Amino acid sequence: MVKKDLKIALGSDHGGFRLKEKIEAYLTARGYLVADFGTNSAESVDYPVYAKKVCAEVLEKRADFGILVCGTGLGMAICANKIKGIRAVTPENTFSAKMSRAHNNANVLTLGERVLGSELAFEIIEAFLNADYEGERHQRRIDMFE
Ligand code: RB5
């Protein structure tokens, strides 16, 4: 069952711009509510700007999840994980994407345009968005670092 009422905040730098555009089209076509926080061209920009914008949407509950795209997904993850309350992950397979929700209650997904083909990126996104957090013992562990 696809959770199509989810609100997704989406952002990228220039290294992730093309994949970000494809993700927006993919999610919108499937009924997800997507807010795009840029960047809007392949001109060089600084990824922390976009990480901060998208993470603020998640923390302020205007979005259920954030998706950030850069060249590798790594710079975005490092930035996002500096922000209290954000749990960002960079899964490169669907199992990790699902488990990052089930056990880690990840709230931001970061992806690398230079790493993933768009079809794999879409599958990773679906695995992430359609998994449920299991809570219980996992919440105790999250509370230990939050
Ligand atoms: C930009 O060249 C690149 O460094 C950026 O998109 C990202 O991959 C950083 O982690």
Side-chain angles (χ1 to χ4, degrees):
M1 175 93 174
V2 174
K3 301 171 187 168
K4 293 191 174 175
D5 55 342
L6 290 177
K7 295 193 217 78
I8 312 295
L10 184 59
S12 77
D13 71 354
H14 57 290
F17 164 67
R18 291 171 193 80
L19 179 57
K20 188 260 291 174
E21 295 290 293
K22 290 180 189 171
I23 290 169
E24 182 172 17
Y26 176 89
L27 290 176
T28 302
R30 281 157 184 78
Y32 292 98
L33 303 171
V34 182
D36 180 1
F37 292 87
T39 187
N40 296 313
S41 79
E43 184 180 337
S44 184
V45 292
D46 300 323
Y47 57 82
V49 172
Y50 302 92
K52 279 184 174 179
K53 284 184 187 179
V54 164
C55 291
E57 294 302 300
V58 174
L59 289 177
E60 290 164 25
K61 301 192 187 309
R62 289 188 292 270
D64 296 296
F65 297 107
I67 300 179
L68 290 163
V69 192
C70 63
T72 58
L74 301 178
M76 288 294 198
I78 291 168
C79 291
N81 280 318
K82 297 278 184 197
I83 300 170
K84 185 169 170 52
I86 294 297
R87 293 173 300 281
V89 291
T90 318
E92 292 175 356
N93 60 72
T94 56
F95 176 74
S96 297
K98 175 181 160 188
M99 295 309 290
S100 75
R101 289 285 311 122
H103 285 194
N104 311 114
N105 200 14
N107 51 13
V108 172
L109 178 63
T110 77
L111 301 169
E113 178 181 306
R114 298 171 188 164
V115 179
L116 302 172
S118 56
E119 292 300 322
L120 178 55
F122 300 155
E123 289 195 14
I124 287 169
I125 290 167
E126 292 284 11
F128 182 89
L129 295 179
N130 289 299
D132 289 316
Y133 176 48
E134 293 175 6
E136 298 180 354
R137 68 190 185 282
H138 305 297
Q139 189 57 46
R140 182 179 72 243
R141 293 161 188 162
I142 289 174
D143 290 343
M144 290 172 80
F145 64 79
E146 291 285 0

